[in-house]
Structure formats: structure tokens, C-alpha cells
Amino acid sequence: MKRRTLLKLAAGSAALSGLSPVSLVVAAPLKELRLDYAYYSPVSLVLRRFGWLEEEFKADGVQVRWVLSAGSNRALEYLNANSIDIGSSAGLAALLAKANGNPIKTPYIFSRPEWTALVVRKDSPIRTVADLKGKKVAATKGTDPYLFLLRSLQTAGLKRGDIEHVGLQHADGRAALEQGKVDAWAGLDPHMAASELESGSKLIYRNVAFNTYGFLNVREDFLATRPAEVARVIKAYERARTWVRANPSEAARILSEEAKVSLPVALLQVKLRSDFSNPQPGSEHVKALQVAAPILKEEALVKADTDLNRAIAELVDTRFAQPYITRA
């Protein structure tokens, strides 16, 4: 059969199955699976601790390599650089990356957390978002806390230029706040919970609706050429997620040991600030991004002509994980 005929048949089969032609390419056997783990994703810590992915791929001779992500910005950088295949980030951070050319898709949601808020020292005179005008505020660019900060400023009629932004990674932001080097910090758990419980830091502004979901992102080419392997990863994530829901105190203990934070801090993050009930990407997540997306243009974080609705549609994969989700 001629090559042209084969290609036509492949394209036709792809259209019928809803997959792109590239997904029909027979890839060489996978030798290494690269993914991140993060303290802001307790599910990833549980999955890594119990070795369920290693168990899943052992018979195939696939090595599993774990890379620590210190924040959404790092996970998304690793994905864009092809240093990992699968990485965890906040939803709005993933959209920002996608809109700026990072070739990723999100087929799975690992949590709905309230993992960020605006934080000041226990003795700070700052009481409201409006009080931040002219102040030094630490936040990690390209992450949910940074975007949370920008959206929070809007509630008080302020913009990024009305504060002095200090770009620090999350752990460094906590240290800078407690050492008096900045006036406020857009925190991230577990660092934020630790500062609150151990140093008496105060959360002056909370808004769970401004905390976008925990997105498990996959490089587009990896998802297209290795859908079976991605499905197996999602099934392993589901095993870990259902375990966390059934064993929140034990999950907190694992977080405590991995992140080197106290058990009360870990319990605050896992039990009170994380919802692990809905891993299926859907209209809830799309709408949350549509509501949040305007901040990206208003603060010139994407090009003015960027079609954010299209970027959202291309990012959130609402179909892939359906067969693998554990129904509660």
C-alpha cells in the first residue's frame, strides 16, 4: 500500500476516534517516566512514598524519575524545557504558561486547595489589601500566589504598580516576611501554614475563589504519543487520591516528613485547606479560568491579542481521564 494511502487511512481513523494523527504513531518503548512531586500536592507525595508508579511500570522496565517542584513556575519551566513529562501546577499558572506558548494539556485535577492568601507579620499595622499601597510584597512570579496577589489588589482598586513587588521563591518569601525584609507576602502552603502557626503571621486577605485548582499537566507530545502511559499515571494518581481521602491524617504525616514541617502545619493544609473530591476536569474548572483570565491581559502578562478562551479550551482536557476516575 502506498505511503499516501496509509496516511489518509491513519488520518481518517484519528478523526473517528477523536485523536490527532500523531497519537497513532507507534512510539518506541518508554525507558524513563519523568514527573514532579511537590509539597503543595500531597497526592504526589503519597504516590511517591508508596512507590505505586514504580510498581505499575516495573514489568515494562520503565524507570520512574521524580523531580521536586518548588512552585508552579518551576514545574511549568521543566515541562517547557522537556525536563519532565508530567508536572503539577495551579490552574491559572498553567493557563498563563499555555497562553505564552508552553505546549501542555491538563487531563487531571489533583486537588482544589486554598493554598494561598496575603500574609503579614503578627505585629504588622497592615490590616487590609488597601494598606499594601506603596509596600514591599513578596510573591513568586508565574504562580497562583502571584496571580492571587494581582487579583486581590484589584479588589482594593490597586494595580501591580501600586506596590513594590519582590520576586522570591515561596520559602524565601516566608523568610523575608518574618525577617522584616518585606511588608507582606503572597504565601503558599505548607510554608504559609507554618508561618501562621509557628510565627504568628496573620492572613489579611483570603478568597478561596481566587485559588485556582491543582492541575496535573502533561506535555502535548507525550499525551499524544503515549496515551496508554498517561492513563496508567492517572490511575496511579487516582489510587493515591482515594487513599488521601480515606487517610487524611496519614497523608498529613507524609507531608510533614517530606516538607519537614510540623504535623499541625501539615494537618492544616491537608484537612482544612484541601479538597480532593473532584479530579475530573470539567466546566467547573473551565469557568474558574474564564473568570480569572482577564487579569493576565490587564497586567500585560500575555500579548494583548491572545485568545484566552481558546487557550483555556486547548489546555483543559475534559475527556481523557473519564474512564480512569474512581467514582466516590
Side-chain angles (χ1 to χ4, degrees), residues 189-190 193-194 196-198 249 252-253 255-256 261-273:
D189 277 341
E196 185 181 3
L197 294 184
E198 296 168 3
S249 296
R253 183 183 61 79
L255 170 61
S256 172
V261 296
S262 71
L263 186 56
V265 166
L267 286 167
L268 175 58
Q269 177 180 344
V270 173
K271 283 193 167 185
L272 298 181
R273 292 184 181 164

Side-chain angles (χ1 to χ4, degrees), residues 138-140 166 168-179 182 184-186:
T140 310
V166 180
L168 295 171
Q169 204 62 42
H170 302 299
D172 297 328
R174 175 194 173 185
L177 176 73
E178 294 177 359
Q179 293 167 10
V182 297
W185 166 51

Side-chain angles (χ1 to χ4, degrees), residues 43-208:
V43 176
S44 72
L45 302 181
V46 168
L47 183 57
R48 179 171 175 265
R49 171 65 65 92
F50 290 130
W52 289 331
L53 268 181
E54 288 82 353
E55 176 185 305
E56 170 67 28
F57 285 96
K58 182 178 180 180
D60 302 309
V62 177
Q63 296 295 313
V64 177
R65 180 160 66 88
W66 293 95
V67 177
L68 176 64
S69 288
S72 294
N73 59 325
R74 292 288 183 256
L76 292 163
E77 287 167 8
Y78 298 154
L79 285 163
N80 199 38
N82 192 13
S83 297
I84 59 175
D85 307 304
I86 300 171
S88 45
S89 77
L92 189 55
L95 175 59
L96 173 60
K98 177 75 170 181
N100 284 323
N102 196 332
I104 56 174
K105 279 191 174 294
T106 304
Y108 187 81
I109 306 297
F110 61 80
S111 72
R112 185 188 186 187
E114 185 190 3
W115 51 19
T116 187
L118 298 186
V119 190
V120 298
R121 291 184 301 280
K122 62 181 179 181
D123 58 350
S124 174
I126 296 172
R127 296 286 183 271
T128 68
V129 176
D131 294 337
L132 294 176
K133 186 172 183 178
K135 300 293 193 297
K136 292 183 178 180
V137 184
T140 310
K141 288 194 74 172
T143 67
D144 225 28
Y146 178 69
L147 298 167
F148 179 92
L149 168 63
L150 299 183
R151 296 177 75 189
S152 301
L153 291 174
Q154 283 191 336
T155 67
L158 301 177
K159 293 188 176 182
R160 179 174 49 175
D162 292 316
I163 63 165
E164 182 180 343
H165 169 243
V166 180
L168 295 171
Q169 204 62 42
H170 302 299
D172 297 328
R174 175 194 173 185
L177 176 73
E178 294 177 359
Q179 293 167 10
K181 295 179 180 178
V182 297
D183 301 296
W185 166 51
L188 181 74
D189 277 341
H191 309 292
M192 182 172 71
S195 188
E196 185 181 3
L197 294 184
E198 296 168 3
S199 301
S201 297
K202 297 180 296 184
L203 310 187
I204 62 164
Y205 184 72
R206 299 173 68 173
N207 188 335
V208 68

